């Protein structure tokens, strides 16, 4: 069974890597054959991460290349789309797929519909506010990473909606035994664009690090963030796919602060799942899917203000037994639900059901 995969980015892009590309080897064992076509390349992503300008001519070339690929869809049994085919253009390509009777699945791990319905430009809002709703409604299946995204798909008229969380490969992320008496580490993993969230709990982190002689490990942040935490020990580590699991293993507690906004409700809690897979207890803002992951897994604390952040972190820093208990619970939740090994067969079932329904 042949599947054409339209990702937004190559493997360097987190959403494409986690929601699509990491699944391919396991799905191939279920009899699927994949052809992957990303919209943007690594050069575009590097410019994006470095806040460099992106050439409009280059973007036009990317779009033209994807348009050409669309004429080959008849060779495939199923089309798998990340988000949308052409960002900031009307959904003509998705309409074309339905017009020719080609089944497509669309996957969301982010509230990208807010790119349009909350855009500052009134022209974008007028013409594209309902674009993603139309893409969802025309799809054979919407795969949603959390309840907020699934609810949007239902409201849009999606015919078939499945929840598939963002997951880790549990064979790569494993707990590591910590030596007693070592300096405790509060950790965070993210990117330069999301490091602003860690600053929202700066006062609480200062308080507990000074009180418990702990240090911070910030993976994926820029070096200048160290200046925001004068007086406590801070290590900034560069992110890479090869090293992220080993860096998380060095942490004693993982944190995920978030403001309670419409964009944040679309997040799928991947940081929490990374921490949990390494047997690390978590503290997170009670926003969106964070509530479900922590409540269901019983693997940490939800903190709604600076006082709660400081209290939760202090409890964990003071008790190795509590850290172990919550960390073990998180690891079990990953093995039960939030792992590649669990969710790949579910994706295979979804694909098979759509392909078989198309044949019949």
């Amino acid at each position: 069974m042949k599947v054409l995969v339209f990702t937004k980015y190559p493997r360097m892009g987190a959403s494409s890597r986690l929601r699509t590309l990491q699944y391919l080897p396991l799905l191939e064992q279920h009899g699927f054959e994949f052809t992957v076509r990303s919209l943007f390349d690594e050069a575009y992503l590097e410019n994006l991460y470095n806040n460099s300008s992106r050439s409009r001519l280059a973007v036009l070339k990317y779009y033209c290349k994807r348009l050409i690929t669309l004429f080959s869809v008849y060779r495939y049994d199923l089309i798998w789309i990340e988000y949308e085919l052409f960002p900031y253009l009307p959904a003509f390509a998705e309409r074309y797929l339905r017009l020719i009777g080609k089944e497509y699945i669309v996957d969301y791990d982010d509230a990208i519909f807010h790119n349009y319905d909350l855009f500052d430009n009134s022209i974008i809002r007028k013409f594209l506010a309902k674009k993603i709703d139309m893409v969802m409604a025309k799809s054979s299946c919407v795969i949603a990473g959390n309840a907020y995204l699934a609810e949007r798909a239902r409201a849009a008229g999606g015919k078939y909606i499945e929840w598939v969380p963002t997951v880790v490969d549990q064979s790569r992320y494993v707990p590591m035994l910590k030596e007693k008496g070592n300096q405790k580490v509060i950790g965070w993993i993210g990117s330069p664009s999301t490091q602003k969230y860690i600053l929202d709990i700066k006062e609480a982190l200062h308080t507990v690090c000074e009180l418990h002689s702990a240090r911070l490990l910030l993976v994926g942040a820029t070096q200048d963030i160290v200046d925001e935490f004068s007086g406590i020990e801070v290590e900034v580590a560069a992110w890479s796919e090869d090293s992220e699991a080993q860096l998380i293993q060095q942490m004693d507690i993982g944190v995920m602060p978030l403001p309670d906004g419409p964009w944040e409700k679309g997040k799928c809690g991947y940081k929490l799942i990374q921490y949990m897979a390494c047997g690390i207890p978590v503290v997170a803002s009670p926003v969106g899917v964070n509530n479900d992951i922590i409540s269901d897994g019983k693997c940490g604390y939800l903190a709604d203000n600076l006082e709660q952040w400081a209290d939760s972190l202090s409890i964990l820093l003071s008790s190795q037994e509590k850290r172990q208990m919550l960390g073990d619970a998180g690891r079990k939740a990953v093995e039960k639900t939030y792992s590649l090994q669990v969710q790949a067969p579910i994706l295979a079932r979804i694909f098979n059901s759509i392909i078989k329904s198309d044949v019949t």
Side-chain angles (χ1 to χ4, degrees), residues 85-101:
L85 286 170
F86 293 98
Y88 292 97
L89 290 181
F92 67 89
E94 292 85 357
R95 290 180 183 273
Y96 164 73
L97 292 177
R98 297 309 297 168
L99 183 66
I100 65 173

Side-chain angles (χ1 to χ4, degrees), residues 203-205 207-208 212 303 305-315:
E203 292 179 23
L205 292 172
T207 299
V208 298
H212 298 276
N305 54 52
L306 289 175
E307 183 179 358
Q308 290 179 6
W309 273 98
D311 288 346
S312 299
L313 290 168
S314 287
I315 290 170

Side-chain angles (χ1 to χ4, degrees), residues 11 17-18 22 166-176 189 219 239-251 270-280 330-332 334-335 338-341:
R11 194 169 184 89
R17 180 178 68 255
L18 300 175
Q22 71 166 340
T166 303
V167 299
V168 296
D169 181 346
Q170 69 181 47
S171 67
R172 286 187 60 235
Y173 289 79
V174 294
M176 185 178 73
I189 187 168
V219 180
W239 175 90
S240 76
E241 184 179 359
D242 292 335
S243 67
E244 60 180 348
Q246 289 77 16
L247 288 167
I248 291 172
Q249 287 172 335
Q250 298 176 27
M251 303 173 186
Y270 182 63
K271 291 181 182 63
L272 297 182
I273 294 161
Q274 288 179 290
Y275 304 144
M276 291 158 57
C278 290
I280 297 167
R331 175 66 189 187
K332 289 177 182 176
V334 168
E335 293 173 350
Y338 300 106
S339 75
L340 184 65
Q341 289 76 7

Side-chain angles (χ1 to χ4, degrees), residues 8 39 50 52 65 104 145-146 202 209 211 235 240 248 274 278 298 314:
K8 187 172 184 179
L39 177 58
N50 295 326
S52 302
K65 186 176 180 180
Y104 74 84
N146 68 31
K202 178 172 66 172
C209 285
L211 181 62
E235 178 186 354
S240 76
I248 291 172
Q274 288 179 290
C278 290
K298 298 179 175 60
S314 287

